[in-house]
Amino acid sequence: MVNRLFTIIVLIGLPLSVAGSLFHWSQILMFVIYCLTIIALAGFMGRATESLAIVAGPRIGGLLNATFGNAVELIISIFSLKAGLLGVVLASLTGSVIGNLLLVAGLSFFIGGLKYKRQEFNVYDARHNSGMLIFAVVVAFVIPEVFSMTMDEAETLSLSIGISIILIILYLAALFFKLVTHRGVYQHKSDTAEAHEVPEWSKMKAIIILLLSTIAVAYVSENLVHTFETVGEQFGWTELFIGVIIVAIVGNAAEHASAIIMAYKNKMNVAVEIAIGSTLQVSMFVAPLLVLISLFFNDRMPLVFTLPELIAMVTAVFLTIMITNDGDTNWFEGAMLLAAYLIMGIGFYLL
């Protein structure tokens, strides 16, 4: 039912996106069309990565889901950088971190928990991810904020570039650790139980759909960015709210759908890998990559967030660690994460 709906939205939304940008239709109308089209395209990307995940296994599957889910947000962020909307980019990174940890994980644990009383996942991965989350968000994002207080603009940018390069190197080292040197070392009983499913699409078909969807998303995203200013003025939304809530939800729609479906099927290893793996990828790869990409544009972006953004991310990290470190979850833990997201959402709306 949902898949059919997404197909209809893509078939209608893509031609309307082209027509609307050519004939300069209402910016508010186009904002809605662009958002719905990106979410539907993200649904296709989610199905393609799920097919590849069944072939590749839970860890690589989770990584693929996170990567192509974040590809949407990365594309939107690059066009936002080009347009000089640095506040939207930094806010969308914040929104992605708290969205993945609180909204995606929260919905996954809640919906999965309604069907199963207790859901288990790999406790070794959970503990490994805890240390990574503290490094990626608490260390790498708080340090620039503290040190930049006594620095000028050029020094702050230099610090941001240095930290960005270190983050990218460590992220690649983490992938090497998980997928090469320590692959299968921390095996969990449910890792092997998830391998008896037939993929919806063949490997080649899934890859082709992924590539075409990514190209379509790039086109629609560029047009979406140009509607932000008008939409913000019309609804009284700040750049911060547009970035933290709107861009983050639209940009991460593929992961939202995939993680919830996986949790409902009791594939908690993949669901957790999508939610936490995506957060790590955003903070250790996407954010630093955007800092480096911004060097090619007129407005350079330092890795310095506002105080509300930082506190929201750090709180989300510690709450997620406390809930996931035991290797199992239930619907109430999901409800706690969702409640935290709603509290932060209200706060960002009123700022």
Side-chain angles (χ1 to χ4, degrees):
M1 178 69 183
V2 176
N3 291 343
R4 193 177 298 164
L5 179 66
F6 279 171
T7 306
I8 292 165
I9 291 171
V10 168
L11 291 175
I12 296 170
L14 273 177
L16 286 179
S17 297
V18 176
S21 60
L22 288 175
F23 298 111
H24 307 292
W25 292 352
S26 156
Q27 295 269 291
I28 308 294
L29 173 67
M30 292 317 298
F31 173 79
V32 174
I33 291 171
Y34 294 146
C35 285
L36 289 174
T37 306
I38 289 172
I39 289 168
L41 285 165
F44 275 94
M45 293 168 81
R47 286 164 68 193
T49 46
E50 189 185 345
S51 295
L52 292 172
I54 292 165
V55 177
R59 283 188 178 184
I60 294 175
L63 175 66
L64 283 168
N65 260 305
T67 303
F68 279 95
N70 288 330
V72 176
E73 192 174 12
L74 181 63
I75 292 162
I76 296 173
S77 295
I78 290 170
F79 287 119
S80 298
L81 277 179
K82 190 180 169 191
L85 301 171
L86 302 188
V88 170
V89 177
L90 286 166
S92 74
L93 294 169
T94 302
S96 193
V97 169
I98 65 171
N100 281 310
L101 293 180
L102 302 178
L103 181 63
V104 178
L107 273 174
S108 301
F109 296 169
F110 183 75
I111 289 169
L114 292 176
K115 191 177 179 186
Y116 304 94
K117 287 238 183 270
R118 183 169 171 258
Q119 291 184 294
E120 287 187 82
F121 48 89
N122 193 326
V123 70
Y124 302 110
D125 275 350
R127 288 169 188 163
H128 171 73
N129 287 336
S130 297
M132 293 266 288
L133 280 171
I134 288 173
F135 175 84
V137 176
V138 182
V139 177
F141 288 174
V142 173
I143 294 287
E145 176 73 25
V146 174
F147 280 74
S148 66
M149 288 176 182
T150 55
M151 290 180 178
D152 61 27
E153 213 172 290
E155 289 170 332
T156 302
L157 189 64
S158 298
L159 175 69
S160 300
I161 292 166
I163 290 172
S164 297
I165 292 166
I166 292 165
L167 279 171
I168 290 170
I169 291 168
L170 193 74
Y171 179 70
L172 296 174
L175 290 184
F176 189 68
F177 173 86
K178 262 188 158 181
L179 303 177
V180 182
T181 66
H182 283 65
R183 187 178 184 182
V185 173
Y186 300 113
Q187 201 74 19
H188 186 263
K189 62 183 179 183
S190 62
D191 283 350
T192 50
E194 292 172 349
H196 307 295
E197 196 177 351
V198 180
E200 181 187 357
W201 295 326
S202 68
K203 194 175 176 181
M204 186 53 68
K205 185 179 178 181
I207 290 169
I208 290 167
I209 287 170
L210 264 181
L211 290 173
L212 291 175
S213 300
T214 306
I215 292 164
V217 162
Y219 172 78
V220 180
S221 299
E222 184 176 16
N223 293 317
L224 173 68
V225 167
H226 298 308
T227 66
F228 287 162
E229 198 176 329
T230 308
V231 168
E233 286 170 8
Q234 186 76 24
F235 294 106
W237 294 347
T238 59
E239 273 193 5
L240 189 64
F241 181 76
I242 290 172
V244 170
I245 306 296
I246 309 299
V247 175
I249 288 177
V250 172
N252 292 307
E255 291 142 80
H256 293 197
S258 299
I260 294 160
I261 291 163
M262 293 298 179
Y264 189 73
K265 291 179 178 177
N266 205 25
K267 295 180 168 187
M268 290 310 290
N269 283 325
V270 185
V272 171
E273 190 65 37
I274 291 169
I276 295 180
S278 181
T279 308
L280 291 171
Q281 193 175 72
V282 164
S283 49
M284 297 181 73
F285 188 75
V286 175
L289 186 63
L290 287 168
V291 170
L292 300 178
I293 289 170
S294 76
L295 300 176
F296 297 97
F297 297 121
N298 294 330
D299 298 300
R300 275 92 187 268
M301 186 181 82
L303 200 60
V304 177
F305 295 87
T306 63
L307 199 59
E309 288 173 331
L310 266 186
I311 291 170
M313 287 191 285
V314 170
T315 306
V317 163
F318 283 118
L319 182 60
T320 304
I321 288 170
M322 292 305 294
I323 283 174
T324 58
N325 249 7
D326 57 356
D328 73 15
T329 187
N330 52 62
W331 71 261
F332 183 72
E333 290 180 341
M336 267 198 290
L337 292 172
L338 288 172
Y341 184 76
L342 290 172
I343 288 168
M344 290 178 191
I346 294 167
F348 282 118
Y349 178 74
L350 294 173
L351 268 181

